[in-house]
Amino acid sequence: MTRSPVADELERRMALLGLSQKALARKAGVGDTYVRDILKGKSRNPGGEKLECIAAVLGCTARDLLFPGVDHTQPGLMLRERRTPYLPPPFTPATAPTRGRLHHSSASATRMAPPPLSAPPPAPAPPGYVVVPFLAQRGTASGRYDEAQMLGSPKYFEESLITQRLNARAENLRALSVEGQAMEPLLRDGDTVLMDTRRTTMAEPGLFVLFDGENVVCRWAERTFDPQGRPLVQISCENKRFSACTLPTSRVQILGRVVWYAHCV
């Protein structure tokens, strides 16, 4: 039976870290048979949460296992892009407000209010890069998700990453930074995440960015039902020190599925 490239890459990384099948399965929290089936070629197209757990133990992403050979200059660690994945937008100084002019009359002097300031448009992307909107603000006191109020300065990502590896369009993606320890060790504080806003259904459980009525968070999400058949959303963290919760679908807004992430170094 011919093995898949996933099996070869998995075996290579296991050897570099000195991990046996059982040790890898135990650290990733998956069954021994899952790892064995991949290595023997019985599971030729693995994916989902289990593969992400295995990748986290190996210090890479599931995409690195599924599409090996991009860059092995640092074997055993998360693959880096040959160029930086994104560039900070060029600095644009804020426009100083125009001072109102004094108009004198015989009765009194009235100061005109300065015109309202509008955010400057994003600078054009450098050659080979595209602009992706960035969610800078994560919480809201209004109880509703208002993206226009949460957007900050955009991020610049390599065009080949967006269009070829992710098969997406920049306008359909949103970038954000991970906050806190709830998703460790898969995602650490300061890591960068890309979500696809077109992929909001939970027909397949996975890693999503969602709004829980107070904050925008990155969590494992799965659709379930209560005894009366009413739909619910089960939300869990990678770090088991944090409790899982189940909320009615009316309380949760799925913003998009996570399609890419990079560790902050």
Side-chain angles (χ1 to χ4, degrees):
M1 182 179 294
T2 304
R3 298 201 309 175
S4 66
V6 183
D8 294 333
E9 181 66 8
L10 178 60
E11 187 175 62
R12 186 186 73 84
R13 289 178 178 270
M14 288 172 57
L16 288 169
L17 297 178
L19 290 174
S20 65
Q21 294 181 26
K22 289 187 177 181
L24 176 60
R26 184 176 64 253
K27 288 177 177 291
V30 301
D32 295 354
T33 56
Y34 183 80
V35 177
R36 184 170 64 249
D37 287 349
I38 296 176
L39 293 174
K40 288 188 174 181
K42 294 182 179 180
S43 178
R44 297 183 57 80
N45 294 292
E49 181 178 345
K50 290 183 178 180
L51 190 63
E52 290 285 0
C53 293
I54 288 176
V57 174
L58 297 175
C60 64
T61 67
R63 184 170 292 274
D64 296 330
L65 296 175
L66 293 169
F67 305 100
V70 176
D71 187 355
H72 296 314
T73 57
Q74 299 187 47
L77 301 176
M78 178 179 174
L79 297 183
R80 288 351 189 237
E81 300 295 326
R82 293 191 182 275
R83 290 181 288 172
T84 178
Y86 67 88
L87 295 175
F91 173 75
T92 303
T95 305
T98 304
R99 296 185 178 276
R101 296 181 179 179
L102 291 176
H103 293 265
H104 298 276
S105 65
S106 57
S108 62
T110 304
R111 181 182 294 273
M112 295 181 62
L117 292 176
S118 58
Y129 287 81
V130 293
V131 178
V132 175
F134 176 71
L135 294 178
Q137 182 177 333
R138 306 289 292 278
T140 175
S142 65
R144 63 186 183 88
Y145 176 73
D146 187 352
E147 183 177 272
Q149 299 297 321
M150 296 183 173
L151 290 176
S153 299
K155 300 292 185 181
Y156 294 179
F157 287 80
E158 283 190 352
E159 186 175 11
S160 59
L161 169 68
I162 302 301
T163 60
Q164 298 177 24
R165 291 185 60 185
L166 301 183
N167 192 27
R169 297 172 62 89
E171 57 266 29
N172 295 325
L173 301 178
R174 297 294 182 270
L176 67 152
S177 295
V178 176
E179 295 180 355
Q181 301 174 336
M183 295 304 293
E184 291 184 348
L186 178 64
L187 297 173
R188 301 190 293 264
D189 185 66
D191 288 353
T192 299
V193 165
L194 280 178
M195 66 168 172
D196 191 333
T197 59
R198 301 169 301 176
R199 304 175 62 180
T200 58
T201 63
M202 290 182 292
E204 179 74 18
L207 191 59
F208 290 90
V209 175
L210 55 91
F211 179 68
D212 61 5
E214 296 181 356
N215 298 286
V216 174
V217 295
C218 183
R219 297 287 188 270
W220 294 112
E222 181 178 358
R223 183 176 59 186
T224 183
F225 299 90
D226 66 8
Q228 286 73 39
R230 291 172 295 196
L232 303 171
V233 179
Q234 182 175 324
I235 302 171
S236 58
C237 305
E238 184 74 11
N239 190 338
K240 301 310 177 185
R241 291 185 299 167
F242 293 80
S243 302
C245 65
T246 302
L247 299 175
T249 54
S250 59
R251 289 269 310 276
V252 181
Q253 182 177 350
I254 302 296
L255 306 181
R257 183 182 287 266
V258 174
V259 294
W260 180 91
Y261 61 83
H263 289 315
C264 178
V265 295

